[in-house]
Amino acid sequence: MPDIIANDGTLVRGSVDLTINSVIYTMLNFKRGLKARSIYDYDSSGKPKAASHAEDFEHISGTIRARSDKVAPPKFIVFAYSGKNWYIMDSELAGSTEALQEYTVDIIECINGSVVTS
């Protein structure tokens, strides 16, 4: 018998799926942001004189959940999501059971569409 989901409105259930290196991963606690990079200048008395701000790389953070029989989400492998290219920059493994792994990740926008590692 299939699982039953009851819905009395337009609430959308589920998580974000990311396909990285042909493996589908489920991402929880999704957070996407575009911060500014800033430079500040001060006069000789230490008071603010000028500031410059520019858009920085877009980031996604959250937790990728994967069963232990699935390969860990790889760092520095470019994947597509929401019309842009991305790659995992930082990853930290955690989990409460051997069968279920959780990876806290920081994902960064890949401007050039490829990453060269050495």
Side-chain angles (χ1 to χ4, degrees), residues 36-80:
R37 184 172 29 109
S38 301
I39 299 172
Y40 301 102
D41 190 19
Y42 302 90
D43 66 17
S44 59
S45 65
K47 294 187 180 199
K49 182 178 177 182
S52 174
H53 310 281
E55 284 188 349
D56 208 345
F57 291 90
E58 190 169 4
H59 284 255
I60 297 173
S61 62
T63 303
I64 290 178
R65 182 176 285 168
R67 296 188 55 81
S68 61
D69 60 352
K70 190 180 283 190
V71 64
K75 291 170 57 174
F76 311 121
I77 299 294
V78 177
F79 62 94

Side-chain angles (χ1 to χ4, degrees), residues 15-17 24-29 62-68 70 73 94 96 99-104:
S15 304
V16 174
D17 285 338
I24 299 172
Y25 297 96
T26 300
M27 186 165 196
L28 311 171
N29 307 323
T63 303
I64 290 178
R65 182 176 285 168
R67 296 188 55 81
S68 61
K70 190 180 283 190
S96 57
L100 190 60
Q101 309 293 320
E102 291 185 349
Y103 301 88
T104 303

